[in-house]
Amino acid sequence: MAYQTVQQEYLQIPFVTRAYTTACVLTTAAVQLELITPFQLYFNPDLILRNYQVIFLILGLLLITNFLFFGPVGFNFLFNMIFLYRYCRMLEEGSFRGRTADFVFMFLFGGLLMTIFGTFVSLVFLGQAFTIMLVYVWSRRNPNVRMNFFGLLNFQAPFLPWVLMGFSLLLGNSIIVDLLGIAVGHVYFFLEDVFPNQPGGGRWLKTPFFLKMLFDTPEEDANYNPLPEERPGGFAWGEGQRLGG
């Protein structure tokens, strides 16, 4: 009974959030069990650019897996998982509700931009920066939400990424990761939410059609009149005019 409840709760998590958080947890578990090592996951642009003879699929996996590892199980891992799950789900159930393809496209756009920027700041794992990007986009789209950080600070949602950066600084972590996530999140937010509404602006980010075909269910036509065999119950056998009467 408890297993069915957990399974039901798990399946109620939106698709993208469920897939990404599950991949992160499984990747960390595999590292903890020493099935793989972090050296097989980290982002190494020199390796990717120089070993051009390596199978293209392996290179693609190297570009993806560095977003899935948040370090060994501990406070930092749990902290990142909580924020990743919370804000990824709120985005998917909020401003991206019914727009799974657009949400996946944001992942692809943010991941690509982060990978390019990451080559200049020597970051080997980009998962934390990706989480900050999600937090930034959510915070800018919910500017009036009041936040409370560990019961110590009260502030409006747009300040949340900066509060997290300050918290990272207090813990002795590098803030380059947070700055990268904020920068990429701002680029996406500007191109998607700000620039299209400016005089002379336009929408530069357009979700490819194949993503919409894969992830979005077609909208029902309100004017569509189904055939009798498509209606609930099928044909209305026995109904109609009486013969001879």
Side-chain angles (χ1 to χ4, degrees), residues 208-229:
F209 180 72
F210 77 92
L211 288 180
K212 291 184 176 293
M213 291 288 293
L214 284 173
F215 295 104
D216 288 350
T217 55
E219 297 182 359
E220 295 184 1
D221 185 356
N223 298 320
Y224 175 66
N225 186 24
L227 297 173
E229 59 268 31

Side-chain angles (χ1 to χ4, degrees), residues 59-72:
L59 298 181
L61 289 174
L62 284 174
L63 291 172
I64 295 173
T65 52
N66 72 94
F67 289 97
L68 305 179
F69 184 63
F70 290 80

Side-chain angles (χ1 to χ4, degrees), residues 10-105:
Y10 176 74
L11 293 177
Q12 287 180 350
I13 301 173
F15 170 73
V16 177
T17 302
R18 183 171 71 243
Y20 185 42
T21 52
T22 300
C24 292
V25 171
L26 291 179
T27 300
T28 301
V31 173
Q32 288 293 116
L33 295 173
E34 298 183 353
L35 300 176
I36 57 177
T37 69
F39 296 103
Q40 296 172 293
L41 303 173
Y42 80 109
F43 174 59
N44 188 335
D46 291 333
L47 177 65
I48 293 175
L49 293 175
R50 291 176 185 173
N51 294 322
Y52 54 87
Q53 76 277 12
V54 178
I55 299 174
F56 183 78
L57 177 60
I58 297 178
L59 298 181
L61 289 174
L62 284 174
L63 291 172
I64 295 173
T65 52
N66 72 94
F67 289 97
L68 305 179
F69 184 63
F70 290 80
V73 175
F75 174 78
N76 191 58
F77 170 76
L78 294 176
F79 186 81
N80 278 286
M81 283 295 98
I82 291 172
F83 272 80
L84 170 63
Y85 170 77
R86 176 177 173 82
Y87 291 96
C88 188
R89 181 167 185 171
M90 286 197 297
L91 274 175
E92 192 169 3
E93 292 182 335
S95 58
F96 286 99
R97 187 176 186 85
R99 299 167 52 218
T100 303
D102 293 338
F103 196 42
V104 171
F105 181 64

Side-chain angles (χ1 to χ4, degrees), residues 130-179:
F130 195 83
T131 300
I132 295 295
M133 181 197 75
L134 296 175
V135 171
Y136 183 90
V137 174
W138 177 87
S139 68
R140 293 301 301 268
R141 288 183 171 179
N142 297 271
N144 297 320
V145 175
R146 293 285 297 174
M147 309 292 297
N148 183 282
F149 192 70
F150 291 130
L152 301 175
L153 293 174
N154 292 300
F155 51 88
Q156 298 294 114
F159 291 101
L160 178 59
W162 305 101
V163 171
L164 292 177
M165 186 179 72
F167 186 66
S168 295
L169 190 62
L170 288 175
L171 293 178
N173 299 327
S174 172
I175 62 173
I176 294 179
V177 175
D178 300 82
L179 289 174

